[in-house]
Structures are given as C-alpha cells and as structure tokens.
Amino acid sequence: MMASSPSPLLLGSSSSKTLHIHSHGISCDKIRGLFVRCSSLRPGVRASRTSVRGDEMNLVSRRDLIGLVLGVSTLILDSFDAKGAGLPPEEKPRLCDDACEKELENVPMVTTESSLQYKDIKVGQGPSPPVGFQVAANYVAMIPSGQIFDSSLEKGRPYIFRVGSGQVVKGLDEGILTMKTGGKRRLYIPGPLAFPKGLVSAPGRPRVAPNSPVIFDVSLEYIPGLEADEE
C-alpha cells in the first residue's frame, strides 16, 4: 500500500510519474498528482477510450461556449432594459424651468366649477380667445410624476387648434379660454376632463391611465384670426 503525500499542486511541483495497474491492463500517466490520461495495454482498447475522452471534451467545450453566449446575451438585454426604462432620464425642453417651479409654489391655486385647477405662471397682456377662434399655443403635457408624454416644444412649432370646439381635451379647452395672449399657465386637469380612454405607452412616452389626472403647461402665443380682424 502506498502512503499518502501532500498534493504536488500545493507544493508547486511539476513532476510526472507513470502508474501501471497490471490487474486491469491499464497504464495511467500521473501529472501534478492527477490522473489525466489512462490507456489499456491491450491492443484496440486505447483508441476506443481516447475517442470517448475526446467526445467528452467536445461536449464540455460546447457547454462552455453556450454558457458564454447566454451570459453575454443577458448582459446586452439588461443594458437595453435599462435604456428602455429611461435611465438616466432624458432632458426635454419645458415651459417651466427649476426657477419657475420654485416661484410656482407661492402662486395661488384657482379652482373652477368643473374642478379644473390652474396657476398662472405669467399673466398675458393681450386679448383672450373667443370660443371658436383659432389659437396658437405651446404646451408640455405631463403625468402627475412630471414625466412628459407630449410636447409641442419637441415638434418645434406651436399647436394651432380651434378653442372651445372639442379639438383638444376638455381641461385644455377650458383653461385656454380664460388666458390672455402672451400668458403662461399650468393646468391641473382632473381625469374626467383629460383622457377617458387613456394613452398607451411608447418609446420615450409614459402610459396615461384612463380617467387619470394630467398636468399641462401652456403658453398662449397668438390668436391668428383675432389679430387679422384687429388689423
């Protein structure tokens, strides 16, 4: 019986030995204390065992390769998920900057009979639009958390519509009718005056739940028809 000894791996040895097990007709090469290759002393058996060993190594290599591919794919997908979630959030143009937000805290809230609420960021000096007239307005539409879901600023031009004619959500219609040209206002629109069916999410745009409150920052730029009549 051979006495056990410390593993050459722990001792840093690189010795190589050959151990012959005659009872089974097998010869094994012992390298760094590990049996890494065994062969039969009988003709025809060594080639067979070597072939099996090769197949096992190929199987392990394939598994390693598949694991590596899956790992890289997961990292890529995680990266896309992070970007899809808006991390970090993209800076978008707004009608009310940080200084404006701070000032708005001290502006009194006005509540109408329909439960629409608003704060005047800036009171305009021009006329108010009559019902049925076209108006040109810039707007930034947000959900209560402040995420923007629509904006005329991103389109690069004011939105023109006929006020009081149902071409926009009820809260926006009502809020603009009492504004003066050149004014800027924040509208707190309750669910019934906003989007009854909601809005689905899209890349860069959050979902708006049905009948949920929304916030509109609006600036009344001009009233095309009224200005033409005045001239």
Side-chain angles (χ1 to χ4, degrees), residues 106-123:
N106 300 319
V107 176
M109 181 81 77
V110 177
T111 303
T112 69
E113 293 181 0
S114 67
S115 297
L116 172 70
Q117 295 182 310
Y118 66 84
K119 289 185 176 185
D120 279 315
I121 300 171
K122 174 186 175 183
V123 178

Side-chain angles (χ1 to χ4, degrees), residues 208-225:
V208 178
N211 289 311
S212 63
V214 294
I215 298 172
F216 271 74
D217 284 347
V218 187
S219 64
L220 181 55
E221 305 297 336
Y222 57 93
I223 307 170

Side-chain angles (χ1 to χ4, degrees), residues 83-95:
K83 291 180 180 178
L87 300 175
E90 180 184 358
E91 288 296 328
K92 297 183 178 181
R94 295 178 180 268
L95 286 173

Side-chain angles (χ1 to χ4, degrees), residues 8-226:
L9 286 174
L10 300 178
L11 300 176
S13 172
S14 60
S15 62
S16 174
K17 298 180 181 180
T18 299
L19 175 67
H20 296 282
I21 307 176
H22 296 288
S23 59
H24 297 285
I26 298 174
S27 174
C28 295
D29 292 331
K30 186 177 182 182
I31 302 176
R32 294 184 179 272
L34 299 176
F35 292 108
V36 296
R37 186 178 68 234
C38 295
S39 59
S40 173
L41 297 178
R42 290 173 292 180
V45 177
R46 179 174 181 177
S48 175
R49 297 195 177 213
T50 302
S51 176
V52 172
R53 179 72 173 176
D55 291 341
E56 291 175 352
M57 291 300 294
N58 287 337
L59 179 60
V60 172
S61 298
R62 291 193 192 100
R63 287 175 179 171
D64 290 342
L65 179 60
I66 293 172
L68 178 61
V69 171
L70 290 176
V72 172
S73 300
T74 301
L75 289 174
I76 294 174
L77 289 175
D78 287 345
S79 175
F80 284 149
D81 288 341
K83 291 180 180 178
L87 300 175
E90 180 184 358
E91 288 296 328
K92 297 183 178 181
R94 295 178 180 268
L95 286 173
C96 189
D97 57 17
D98 292 340
C100 166
E101 291 286 355
K102 190 171 182 179
E103 292 178 5
L104 206 57
E105 294 176 1
N106 300 319
V107 176
M109 181 81 77
V110 177
T111 303
T112 69
E113 293 181 0
S114 67
S115 297
L116 172 70
Q117 295 182 310
Y118 66 84
K119 289 185 176 185
D120 279 315
I121 300 171
K122 174 186 175 183
V123 178
Q125 301 298 317
S128 295
V131 174
F133 272 65
Q134 284 190 327
V135 297
N138 276 309
Y139 68 90
V140 175
M142 301 166 280
I143 59 177
S145 67
Q147 287 181 283
I148 297 173
F149 64 85
D150 195 10
S151 172
S152 66
L153 299 181
E154 294 182 22
K155 300 177 178 68
R157 61 182 182 277
Y159 181 60
I160 297 176
F161 65 96
R162 200 170 297 278
V163 70
S165 301
Q167 295 182 353
V168 294
V169 295
K170 295 178 180 180
L172 180 57
D173 246 350
E174 181 184 342
I176 283 188
L177 278 171
T178 55
M179 290 181 67
K180 295 181 180 294
T181 304
K184 190 182 297 185
R185 176 176 288 181
R186 171 163 292 180
L187 303 172
Y188 300 87
I189 304 176
L193 303 181
F195 300 93
K197 296 182 179 179
L199 296 173
V200 297
S201 61
R205 186 184 77 188
R207 173 179 177 269
V208 178
N211 289 311
S212 63
V214 294
I215 298 172
F216 271 74
D217 284 347
V218 187
S219 64
L220 181 55
E221 305 297 336
Y222 57 93
I223 307 170
L226 190 59

